[in-house]
Amino acid sequence: SRFCPRTATPPTPRVYNEVAFLALSEVAPVTHAVTNTVKRVVIIVVSILVFRTPITFLGSAGSALAIAGAAGYSYAKGKYK
């Protein structure tokens, strides 16, 4: 039998998309966007702690700017849609 990466991939992305779609039908788009931004922050912080990645001030400032930009865009897109 041959190895096929597509069949070896766990269904995690599909499950995430299904859960996100169901959550979006239950909450406001802005709430969903803010929750998604918080999820990004948690992933970054946990990755830094678990993998003991050194982060500089400039790196943390860049991450904060990117997260703030994503949050602002999501908020504006949800509010003015």
Side-chain angles (χ1 to χ4, degrees), residues 53-71:
T53 306
I55 186 163
T56 63
F57 173 76
L58 191 58
S60 59
S63 294
L65 182 63
I67 291 166

Side-chain angles (χ1 to χ4, degrees), residues 17-81:
N17 286 335
E18 290 290 329
V19 170
F21 184 74
L22 291 172
L24 190 55
S25 68
E26 297 293 325
V27 298
V30 174
T31 303
H32 191 265
V34 169
T35 305
N36 197 25
T37 303
V38 170
K39 178 193 72 161
R40 292 176 187 176
V41 171
V42 169
I43 289 171
I44 290 170
V45 170
V46 168
S47 296
I48 289 170
L49 295 175
V50 168
F51 299 114
R52 294 190 172 107
T53 306
I55 186 163
T56 63
F57 173 76
L58 191 58
S60 59
S63 294
L65 182 63
I67 291 166
Y73 174 77
S74 297
Y75 178 75
K77 185 177 177 185
K79 185 172 183 174
Y80 297 110
K81 188 173 183 180

